[in-house]
Amino acid sequence: MSEKVNCESIRNICKVINGTGKLFVHYSTDYVFDGCAHSPYTETDLANPINAYGKTKLNGENVLKSSDVKHFLFRTSWVYDNESDNFPNKIIRKLRDKEILRIIDDQIGVPNYAKFISDISYTCIEKYFLHPDDLRDNLVGTYHMSSLGEVSWYEFAKYIVEEYCKKHGIKNTFKIIPIKSNDVITKAKRPKYSVLNTSKLSDTFGVKLSSWQDDVNKFINSKL
């Protein structure tokens, strides 16, 4: 199923819009990397996914890149929004239920708020269409789209709890226990380090990227 969603669907869309001059905006993931790096991944770093999700997303990327379709391929990471069953919402739910939190502290990445992604995407698309037709090809390609900074899941959870308590005037007595990846049985391996270098995006489109903390604060405010 993941191959159909992440790869075959891209192939089908490319077939439909090929030759039309339409811009295809596609989103991929930090999971195309193996997590063995010690500094943020650039767009030209070798992709080497370690789980099925990352492999199918990379397959989809390759289909798009090998096509003649004009495209933005935005890689991002650790996406969350206000409503779905994502990491921040799970933390707040457990906090409200006064559960002890056991959170992995040896996986490093960058949380990205869905509104941040949509706002930056809009800016990039707008600038693309404001460019003269003969210069637009200079903008198409692969970009890393991510908030600034980096954090472990454990520190991410701590920040959410601290800010939530502060905003609600609650005394923070919640227990968060750091654990290692090996302490948790999961269906898929996850990269230990998957921070994305966003210099290309900032330099090309002149966008100012917010810190992951700024966007978490906006998320917390949505819960007031």
Side-chain angles (χ1 to χ4, degrees), residues 100-159:
I100 295 175
L101 300 173
R102 294 176 173 82
I103 309 294
I104 292 172
D105 72 349
D106 60 351
Q107 293 178 18
I108 308 297
V110 188
N112 283 289
Y113 193 28
K115 188 176 188 308
F116 160 83
I117 294 172
S118 64
D119 287 347
I120 299 299
S121 297
Y122 182 89
T123 298
C124 294
I125 294 167
E126 184 178 49
K127 292 195 174 186
Y128 172 83
F129 284 107
L130 288 174
H131 259 59
D133 291 353
D134 59 338
L135 296 179
R136 287 177 182 172
D137 284 353
N138 296 333
L139 299 181
V140 298
T142 302
Y143 295 91
H144 287 174
M145 180 185 289
S146 177
S147 297
L148 301 176
E150 58 184 62
V151 68
S152 68
W153 289 109
Y154 170 71
E155 292 294 339
F156 184 21
K158 276 185 63 178
Y159 189 86

Short mmCIF file of all heavy atoms in Angstrom, two decimals, residues 100-159:
data_model
loop_
_atom_site.label_atom_id
_atom_site.label_comp_id
_atom_site.label_asym_id
_atom_site.label_seq_id
_atom_site.Cartn_x
_atom_site.Cartn_y
_atom_site.Cartn_z
N ILE A 100 2.61 8.98 33.42
CA ILE A 100 4.06 9.11 33.35
C ILE A 100 4.48 8.98 31.89
O ILE A 100 4.02 8.09 31.18
CB ILE A 100 4.75 8.04 34.22
CG1 ILE A 100 4.42 8.27 35.70
CG2 ILE A 100 6.26 8.07 34.01
CD1 ILE A 100 4.96 7.18 36.61
N LEU A 101 5.37 9.87 31.46
CA LEU A 101 5.82 9.85 30.07
C LEU A 101 7.20 9.20 29.98
O LEU A 101 8.12 9.56 30.72
CB LEU A 101 5.90 11.28 29.54
CG LEU A 101 4.59 12.08 29.54
CD1 LEU A 101 4.86 13.53 29.16
CD2 LEU A 101 3.60 11.46 28.57
N ARG A 102 7.35 8.26 29.07
CA ARG A 102 8.64 7.64 28.77
C ARG A 102 8.97 7.95 27.32
O ARG A 102 8.33 7.42 26.41
CB ARG A 102 8.58 6.13 29.04
CG ARG A 102 8.39 5.79 30.52
CD ARG A 102 8.25 4.29 30.74
NE ARG A 102 8.22 3.96 32.15
CZ ARG A 102 7.15 4.05 32.92
NH1 ARG A 102 5.99 4.43 32.39
NH2 ARG A 102 7.22 3.74 34.20
N ILE A 103 9.96 8.80 27.11
CA ILE A 103 10.20 9.36 25.79
C ILE A 103 11.64 9.11 25.35
O ILE A 103 12.59 9.30 26.14
CB ILE A 103 9.92 10.88 25.77
CG1 ILE A 103 8.53 11.19 26.36
CG2 ILE A 103 10.04 11.42 24.35
CD1 ILE A 103 7.37 10.66 25.57
N ILE A 104 11.81 8.75 24.10
CA ILE A 104 13.13 8.46 23.53
C ILE A 104 13.99 9.72 23.48
O ILE A 104 13.54 10.77 23.03
CB ILE A 104 12.97 7.87 22.11
CG1 ILE A 104 12.34 6.47 22.20
CG2 ILE A 104 14.30 7.83 21.38
CD1 ILE A 104 11.96 5.89 20.86
N ASP A 105 15.23 9.60 23.94
CA ASP A 105 16.12 10.77 23.99
C ASP A 105 17.33 10.66 23.06
O ASP A 105 18.21 11.54 23.08
CB ASP A 105 16.58 11.05 25.42
CG ASP A 105 17.59 10.01 25.93
OD1 ASP A 105 17.79 8.98 25.27
OD2 ASP A 105 18.18 10.25 27.01
N ASP A 106 17.39 9.60 22.24
CA ASP A 106 18.56 9.45 21.36
C ASP A 106 18.21 9.49 19.88
O ASP A 106 18.97 9.01 19.04
CB ASP A 106 19.32 8.17 21.70
CG ASP A 106 18.49 6.91 21.53
OD1 ASP A 106 17.26 7.01 21.31
OD2 ASP A 106 19.06 5.80 21.61
N GLN A 107 17.06 10.08 19.56
CA GLN A 107 16.70 10.39 18.18
C GLN A 107 16.56 11.90 18.06
O GLN A 107 15.77 12.51 18.80
CB GLN A 107 15.40 9.69 17.77
CG GLN A 107 15.50 8.18 17.70
CD GLN A 107 14.16 7.53 17.34
OE1 GLN A 107 13.25 8.19 16.85
NE2 GLN A 107 14.05 6.25 17.60
N ILE A 108 17.34 12.49 17.17
CA ILE A 108 17.40 13.95 17.04
C ILE A 108 16.82 14.38 15.70
O ILE A 108 17.15 13.81 14.65
CB ILE A 108 18.85 14.46 17.14
CG1 ILE A 108 19.53 13.91 18.40
CG2 ILE A 108 18.88 15.98 17.11
CD1 ILE A 108 18.92 14.35 19.69
N GLY A 109 15.96 15.38 15.73
CA GLY A 109 15.38 15.90 14.49
C GLY A 109 14.81 17.28 14.73
O GLY A 109 15.21 17.99 15.65
N VAL A 110 13.83 17.66 13.89
CA VAL A 110 13.20 18.97 14.01
C VAL A 110 11.68 18.83 13.85
O VAL A 110 11.22 18.35 12.82
CB VAL A 110 13.72 19.96 12.95
CG1 VAL A 110 13.18 21.36 13.22
CG2 VAL A 110 15.24 19.98 12.90
N PRO A 111 10.91 19.26 14.86
CA PRO A 111 9.45 19.27 14.72
C PRO A 111 9.02 20.37 13.74
O PRO A 111 9.62 21.45 13.71
CB PRO A 111 8.96 19.59 16.14
CG PRO A 111 10.15 19.47 17.03
CD PRO A 111 11.34 19.72 16.19
N ASN A 112 7.97 20.09 12.97
CA ASN A 112 7.48 21.07 12.01
C ASN A 112 5.96 21.16 12.06
O ASN A 112 5.25 20.18 11.81
CB ASN A 112 7.95 20.72 10.60
CG ASN A 112 9.40 21.09 10.38
OD1 ASN A 112 9.74 22.26 10.30
ND2 ASN A 112 10.27 20.09 10.33
N TYR A 113 5.49 22.34 12.38
CA TYR A 113 4.07 22.64 12.51
C TYR A 113 3.45 22.74 11.11
O TYR A 113 4.02 23.37 10.21
CB TYR A 113 3.94 23.97 13.25
CG TYR A 113 2.57 24.34 13.76
CD1 TYR A 113 1.62 23.39 14.12
CD2 TYR A 113 2.25 25.68 13.96
CE1 TYR A 113 0.40 23.76 14.62
CE2 TYR A 113 1.02 26.07 14.47
CZ TYR A 113 0.10 25.11 14.79
OH TYR A 113 -1.13 25.48 15.31
N ALA A 114 2.31 22.12 10.92
CA ALA A 114 1.68 22.09 9.60
C ALA A 114 1.43 23.49 9.05
O ALA A 114 1.58 23.73 7.84
CB ALA A 114 0.37 21.31 9.67
N LYS A 115 1.08 24.43 9.92
CA LYS A 115 0.83 25.80 9.44
C LYS A 115 2.12 26.44 8.93
O LYS A 115 2.12 27.19 7.95
CB LYS A 115 0.22 26.66 10.53
CG LYS A 115 -0.23 28.03 10.02
CD LYS A 115 -0.91 28.85 11.07
CE LYS A 115 -1.51 30.13 10.47
NZ LYS A 115 -0.55 30.92 9.67
N PHE A 116 3.23 26.15 9.58
CA PHE A 116 4.53 26.64 9.11
C PHE A 116 4.80 26.11 7.70
O PHE A 116 5.20 26.86 6.80
CB PHE A 116 5.63 26.18 10.07
CG PHE A 116 7.02 26.20 9.50
CD1 PHE A 116 7.76 27.37 9.47
CD2 PHE A 116 7.59 25.05 8.97
CE1 PHE A 116 9.04 27.40 8.94
CE2 PHE A 116 8.87 25.06 8.43
CZ PHE A 116 9.59 26.25 8.42
N ILE A 117 4.56 24.83 7.49
CA ILE A 117 4.80 24.21 6.18
C ILE A 117 3.90 24.83 5.12
O ILE A 117 4.36 25.16 4.02
CB ILE A 117 4.57 22.69 6.26
CG1 ILE A 117 5.63 22.05 7.17
CG2 ILE A 117 4.62 22.06 4.86
CD1 ILE A 117 5.37 20.59 7.47
N SER A 118 2.64 25.03 5.44
CA SER A 118 1.71 25.60 4.46
C SER A 118 2.06 27.05 4.14
O SER A 118 2.00 27.48 2.98
CB SER A 118 0.26 25.50 4.95
OG SER A 118 0.06 26.27 6.12
N ASP A 119 2.47 27.82 5.15
CA ASP A 119 2.81 29.23 4.93
C ASP A 119 4.06 29.37 4.05
O ASP A 119 4.09 30.19 3.13
CB ASP A 119 3.05 29.94 6.27
CG ASP A 119 1.77 30.18 7.06
OD1 ASP A 119 0.68 30.03 6.47
OD2 ASP A 119 1.87 30.51 8.25
N ILE A 120 5.10 28.58 4.35
CA ILE A 120 6.32 28.65 3.56
C ILE A 120 6.07 28.13 2.15
O ILE A 120 6.59 28.69 1.16
CB ILE A 120 7.46 27.87 4.23
CG1 ILE A 120 7.78 28.46 5.62
CG2 ILE A 120 8.72 27.89 3.36
CD1 ILE A 120 8.24 29.90 5.59
N SER A 121 5.27 27.09 2.02
CA SER A 121 4.93 26.56 0.70
C SER A 121 4.23 27.63 -0.14
O SER A 121 4.55 27.82 -1.32
CB SER A 121 4.02 25.33 0.82
OG SER A 121 4.66 24.28 1.50
N TYR A 122 3.29 28.32 0.47
CA TYR A 122 2.56 29.38 -0.24
C TYR A 122 3.52 30.45 -0.75
O TYR A 122 3.42 30.90 -1.90
CB TYR A 122 1.51 30.00 0.68
CG TYR A 122 0.68 31.08 0.02
CD1 TYR A 122 -0.49 30.77 -0.66
CD2 TYR A 122 1.10 32.42 0.06
CE1 TYR A 122 -1.24 31.76 -1.29
CE2 TYR A 122 0.36 33.41 -0.56
CZ TYR A 122 -0.80 33.08 -1.23
OH TYR A 122 -1.54 34.06 -1.85
N THR A 123 4.46 30.85 0.11
CA THR A 123 5.43 31.88 -0.27
C THR A 123 6.27 31.43 -1.46
O THR A 123 6.50 32.19 -2.41
CB THR A 123 6.35 32.22 0.92
OG1 THR A 123 5.57 32.75 1.99
CG2 THR A 123 7.41 33.23 0.53
N CYS A 124 6.73 30.18 -1.43
CA CYS A 124 7.55 29.65 -2.53
C CYS A 124 6.76 29.58 -3.84
O CYS A 124 7.28 29.95 -4.91
CB CYS A 124 8.08 28.26 -2.17
SG CYS A 124 9.24 28.25 -0.77
N ILE A 125 5.53 29.12 -3.75
CA ILE A 125 4.69 29.02 -4.95
C ILE A 125 4.40 30.41 -5.51
O ILE A 125 4.45 30.64 -6.73
CB ILE A 125 3.39 28.27 -4.62
CG1 ILE A 125 3.69 26.81 -4.25
CG2 ILE A 125 2.41 28.33 -5.80
CD1 ILE A 125 2.52 26.08 -3.62
N GLU A 126 4.10 31.35 -4.62
CA GLU A 126 3.82 32.71 -5.05
C GLU A 126 5.02 33.32 -5.77
O GLU A 126 4.87 33.94 -6.84
CB GLU A 126 3.44 33.55 -3.84
CG GLU A 126 3.04 34.98 -4.18
CD GLU A 126 2.63 35.76 -2.94
OE1 GLU A 126 3.38 35.73 -1.94
OE2 GLU A 126 1.57 36.41 -2.98
N LYS A 127 6.22 33.13 -5.21
CA LYS A 127 7.42 33.69 -5.84
C LYS A 127 7.72 33.02 -7.17
O LYS A 127 8.23 33.66 -8.10
CB LYS A 127 8.60 33.57 -4.88
CG LYS A 127 8.45 34.47 -3.66
CD LYS A 127 9.74 34.66 -2.88
CE LYS A 127 9.53 35.68 -1.78
NZ LYS A 127 10.77 36.02 -1.06
N TYR A 128 7.38 31.75 -7.27
CA TYR A 128 7.56 31.04 -8.54
C TYR A 128 6.73 31.69 -9.64
O TYR A 128 7.22 31.97 -10.74
CB TYR A 128 7.16 29.57 -8.36
CG TYR A 128 7.13 28.77 -9.64
CD1 TYR A 128 8.29 28.21 -10.17
CD2 TYR A 128 5.93 28.57 -10.33
CE1 TYR A 128 8.26 27.46 -11.34
CE2 TYR A 128 5.89 27.83 -11.50
CZ TYR A 128 7.06 27.28 -12.00
OH TYR A 128 7.03 26.55 -13.17
N PHE A 129 5.46 31.96 -9.34
CA PHE A 129 4.58 32.51 -10.37
C PHE A 129 4.80 34.01 -10.59
O PHE A 129 4.37 34.55 -11.61
CB PHE A 129 3.12 32.22 -10.02
CG PHE A 129 2.73 30.79 -10.30
CD1 PHE A 129 2.52 29.90 -9.25
CD2 PHE A 129 2.61 30.34 -11.60
CE1 PHE A 129 2.20 28.57 -9.51
CE2 PHE A 129 2.27 29.02 -11.86
CZ PHE A 129 2.07 28.13 -10.82
N LEU A 130 5.47 34.68 -9.68
CA LEU A 130 5.82 36.08 -9.88
C LEU A 130 7.07 36.23 -10.75
O LEU A 130 7.34 37.30 -11.28
CB LEU A 130 6.05 36.78 -8.53
CG LEU A 130 4.79 37.05 -7.70
CD1 LEU A 130 5.17 37.60 -6.33
CD2 LEU A 130 3.84 38.02 -8.42
N HIS A 131 7.82 35.14 -10.89
CA HIS A 131 9.01 35.15 -11.75
C HIS A 131 8.61 35.17 -13.22
O HIS A 131 7.58 34.58 -13.59
CB HIS A 131 9.86 33.90 -11.48
CG HIS A 131 11.04 34.15 -10.62
ND1 HIS A 131 10.95 34.67 -9.34
CD2 HIS A 131 12.38 33.99 -10.84
CE1 HIS A 131 12.16 34.79 -8.82
NE2 HIS A 131 13.05 34.39 -9.71
N PRO A 132 9.40 35.81 -14.06
CA PRO A 132 9.16 35.71 -15.51
C PRO A 132 9.20 34.24 -15.94
O PRO A 132 9.94 33.44 -15.37
CB PRO A 132 10.33 36.49 -16.11
CG PRO A 132 10.79 37.40 -15.02
CD PRO A 132 10.56 36.66 -13.74
N ASP A 133 8.40 33.90 -16.95
CA ASP A 133 8.30 32.51 -17.39
C ASP A 133 9.65 31.88 -17.69
O ASP A 133 9.88 30.71 -17.37
CB ASP A 133 7.41 32.42 -18.64
CG ASP A 133 5.95 32.73 -18.34
OD1 ASP A 133 5.62 32.87 -17.14
OD2 ASP A 133 5.16 32.81 -19.28
N ASP A 134 10.55 32.66 -18.31
CA ASP A 134 11.82 32.07 -18.73
C ASP A 134 12.81 31.90 -17.59
O ASP A 134 13.88 31.33 -17.77
CB ASP A 134 12.45 32.93 -19.83
CG ASP A 134 12.70 34.36 -19.38
OD1 ASP A 134 12.03 34.81 -18.43
OD2 ASP A 134 13.56 35.03 -19.99
N LEU A 135 12.45 32.37 -16.37
CA LEU A 135 13.34 32.23 -15.21
C LEU A 135 12.81 31.24 -14.17
O LEU A 135 13.50 30.92 -13.21
CB LEU A 135 13.56 33.59 -14.54
CG LEU A 135 14.27 34.66 -15.39
CD1 LEU A 135 14.39 35.97 -14.61
CD2 LEU A 135 15.66 34.16 -15.82
N ARG A 136 11.59 30.76 -14.38
CA ARG A 136 10.98 29.89 -13.37
C ARG A 136 11.72 28.57 -13.19
O ARG A 136 11.76 28.01 -12.11
CB ARG A 136 9.52 29.61 -13.74
CG ARG A 136 8.62 30.81 -13.52
CD ARG A 136 7.19 30.52 -13.97
NE ARG A 136 6.34 31.68 -13.79
CZ ARG A 136 5.09 31.77 -14.22
NH1 ARG A 136 4.56 30.74 -14.89
NH2 ARG A 136 4.39 32.86 -14.02
N ASP A 137 12.33 28.08 -14.29
CA ASP A 137 13.05 26.81 -14.20
C ASP A 137 14.23 26.90 -13.23
O ASP A 137 14.71 25.87 -12.75
CB ASP A 137 13.56 26.38 -15.58
CG ASP A 137 12.44 25.82 -16.46
OD1 ASP A 137 11.33 25.65 -15.94
OD2 ASP A 137 12.70 25.56 -17.65
N ASN A 138 14.69 28.13 -12.94
CA ASN A 138 15.78 28.29 -11.98
C ASN A 138 15.35 27.97 -10.56
O ASN A 138 16.19 27.77 -9.68
CB ASN A 138 16.32 29.73 -12.03
CG ASN A 138 16.94 30.08 -13.36
OD1 ASN A 138 17.43 29.20 -14.08
ND2 ASN A 138 16.92 31.35 -13.72
N LEU A 139 14.04 27.95 -10.34
CA LEU A 139 13.52 27.75 -8.98
C LEU A 139 13.10 26.30 -8.70
O LEU A 139 13.04 25.90 -7.54
CB LEU A 139 12.32 28.67 -8.73
CG LEU A 139 12.57 30.17 -8.82
CD1 LEU A 139 11.28 30.93 -8.52
CD2 LEU A 139 13.66 30.60 -7.84
N VAL A 140 12.76 25.54 -9.73
CA VAL A 140 12.24 24.19 -9.49
C VAL A 140 13.34 23.28 -8.94
O VAL A 140 14.52 23.52 -9.13
CB VAL A 140 11.64 23.58 -10.77
CG1 VAL A 140 10.46 24.42 -11.26
CG2 VAL A 140 12.70 23.46 -11.86
N GLY A 141 12.91 22.23 -8.22
CA GLY A 141 13.88 21.27 -7.69
C GLY A 141 13.55 20.85 -6.28
O GLY A 141 12.42 21.00 -5.80
N THR A 142 14.56 20.30 -5.60
CA THR A 142 14.40 19.74 -4.26
C THR A 142 14.87 20.74 -3.20
O THR A 142 15.94 21.34 -3.34
CB THR A 142 15.22 18.45 -4.13
OG1 THR A 142 14.79 17.51 -5.11
CG2 THR A 142 15.06 17.83 -2.74
N TYR A 143 14.06 20.88 -2.16
CA TYR A 143 14.39 21.79 -1.06
C TYR A 143 14.07 21.13 0.28
O TYR A 143 13.11 20.38 0.40
CB TYR A 143 13.56 23.08 -1.15
CG TYR A 143 13.87 23.92 -2.36
CD1 TYR A 143 13.15 23.75 -3.55
CD2 TYR A 143 14.85 24.90 -2.32
CE1 TYR A 143 13.41 24.53 -4.66
CE2 TYR A 143 15.13 25.69 -3.43
CZ TYR A 143 14.40 25.51 -4.60
OH TYR A 143 14.67 26.27 -5.70
N HIS A 144 14.90 21.43 1.28
CA HIS A 144 14.60 21.01 2.64
C HIS A 144 13.83 22.13 3.33
O HIS A 144 14.31 23.27 3.41
CB HIS A 144 15.89 20.71 3.40
CG HIS A 144 16.54 19.43 2.95
ND1 HIS A 144 17.77 19.02 3.40
CD2 HIS A 144 16.10 18.45 2.11
CE1 HIS A 144 18.08 17.86 2.85
NE2 HIS A 144 17.07 17.49 2.07
N MET A 145 12.65 21.80 3.79
CA MET A 145 11.77 22.77 4.44
C MET A 145 11.59 22.38 5.90
O MET A 145 10.95 21.36 6.21
CB MET A 145 10.41 22.81 3.74
CG MET A 145 9.43 23.80 4.35
SD MET A 145 7.81 23.71 3.57
CE MET A 145 8.16 24.42 1.96
N SER A 146 12.17 23.16 6.79
CA SER A 146 12.13 22.80 8.20
C SER A 146 12.32 24.03 9.06
O SER A 146 12.99 24.99 8.66
CB SER A 146 13.23 21.77 8.51
OG SER A 146 13.25 21.47 9.89
N SER A 147 11.73 24.00 10.24
CA SER A 147 12.00 25.02 11.23
C SER A 147 13.47 24.94 11.65
O SER A 147 14.15 23.95 11.38
CB SER A 147 11.10 24.82 12.46
OG SER A 147 9.75 24.97 12.11
N LEU A 148 13.94 25.97 12.33
CA LEU A 148 15.33 26.03 12.74
C LEU A 148 15.56 25.34 14.08
O LEU A 148 14.67 25.28 14.93
CB LEU A 148 15.78 27.49 12.83
CG LEU A 148 15.64 28.31 11.53
CD1 LEU A 148 16.03 29.76 11.78
CD2 LEU A 148 16.49 27.70 10.43
N GLY A 149 16.78 24.84 14.27
CA GLY A 149 17.15 24.18 15.52
C GLY A 149 17.10 22.67 15.38
O GLY A 149 16.88 22.12 14.30
N GLU A 150 17.32 22.00 16.49
CA GLU A 150 17.21 20.54 16.54
C GLU A 150 16.91 20.13 17.97
O GLU A 150 17.22 20.85 18.92
CB GLU A 150 18.48 19.87 16.03
CG GLU A 150 19.75 20.24 16.77
CD GLU A 150 20.98 19.60 16.15
OE1 GLU A 150 21.28 19.89 14.98
OE2 GLU A 150 21.64 18.81 16.86
N VAL A 151 16.32 18.95 18.14
CA VAL A 151 15.88 18.53 19.46
C VAL A 151 15.63 17.03 19.47
O VAL A 151 15.33 16.44 18.43
CB VAL A 151 14.58 19.31 19.84
CG1 VAL A 151 13.40 18.88 18.98
CG2 VAL A 151 14.24 19.18 21.31
N SER A 152 15.75 16.41 20.63
CA SER A 152 15.36 15.00 20.78
C SER A 152 13.86 14.93 21.08
O SER A 152 13.24 15.93 21.48
CB SER A 152 16.14 14.34 21.92
OG SER A 152 15.73 14.89 23.17
N TRP A 153 13.29 13.76 20.90
CA TRP A 153 11.88 13.58 21.25
C TRP A 153 11.66 13.89 22.74
O TRP A 153 10.64 14.48 23.11
CB TRP A 153 11.43 12.15 20.95
CG TRP A 153 11.31 11.82 19.49
CD1 TRP A 153 12.13 11.01 18.76
CD2 TRP A 153 10.32 12.29 18.58
NE1 TRP A 153 11.71 10.94 17.45
CE2 TRP A 153 10.60 11.73 17.30
CE3 TRP A 153 9.22 13.15 18.69
CZ2 TRP A 153 9.82 11.97 16.17
CZ3 TRP A 153 8.44 13.41 17.56
CH2 TRP A 153 8.74 12.82 16.34
N TYR A 154 12.61 13.50 23.57
CA TYR A 154 12.51 13.74 25.01
C TYR A 154 12.47 15.24 25.32
O TYR A 154 11.60 15.71 26.07
CB TYR A 154 13.70 13.08 25.71
CG TYR A 154 13.85 13.44 27.17
CD1 TYR A 154 12.95 12.98 28.13
CD2 TYR A 154 14.90 14.26 27.60
CE1 TYR A 154 13.09 13.31 29.47
CE2 TYR A 154 15.05 14.59 28.93
CZ TYR A 154 14.15 14.12 29.87
OH TYR A 154 14.29 14.45 31.19
N GLU A 155 13.41 16.00 24.75
CA GLU A 155 13.45 17.44 25.00
C GLU A 155 12.23 18.12 24.37
O GLU A 155 11.74 19.12 24.91
CB GLU A 155 14.75 18.03 24.44
CG GLU A 155 16.01 17.60 25.19
CD GLU A 155 16.05 18.12 26.62
OE1 GLU A 155 15.34 19.11 26.91
OE2 GLU A 155 16.77 17.54 27.45
N PHE A 156 11.77 17.60 23.26
CA PHE A 156 10.55 18.11 22.63
C PHE A 156 9.37 17.95 23.58
O PHE A 156 8.59 18.89 23.80
CB PHE A 156 10.33 17.36 21.32
CG PHE A 156 9.17 17.81 20.47
CD1 PHE A 156 8.61 19.07 20.59
CD2 PHE A 156 8.65 16.95 19.49
CE1 PHE A 156 7.55 19.48 19.78
CE2 PHE A 156 7.59 17.34 18.68
CZ PHE A 156 7.04 18.60 18.83
N ALA A 157 9.23 16.77 24.15
CA ALA A 157 8.14 16.51 25.10
C ALA A 157 8.25 17.42 26.33
O ALA A 157 7.25 17.97 26.80
CB ALA A 157 8.16 15.05 25.53
N LYS A 158 9.47 17.58 26.85
CA LYS A 158 9.68 18.46 28.01
C LYS A 158 9.24 19.88 27.71
O LYS A 158 8.58 20.54 28.53
CB LYS A 158 11.16 18.46 28.42
CG LYS A 158 11.57 17.32 29.32
CD LYS A 158 13.02 17.47 29.77
CE LYS A 158 13.22 18.72 30.60
NZ LYS A 158 14.62 18.85 31.09
N TYR A 159 9.59 20.35 26.53
CA TYR A 159 9.23 21.72 26.14
C TYR A 159 7.71 21.88 26.06
O TYR A 159 7.15 22.87 26.54
CB TYR A 159 9.88 22.10 24.82
CG TYR A 159 9.73 23.56 24.47
CD1 TYR A 159 10.64 24.49 24.95
CD2 TYR A 159 8.67 24.01 23.68
CE1 TYR A 159 10.51 25.84 24.64
CE2 TYR A 159 8.52 25.35 23.38
CZ TYR A 159 9.45 26.27 23.86
OH TYR A 159 9.30 27.60 23.57
#
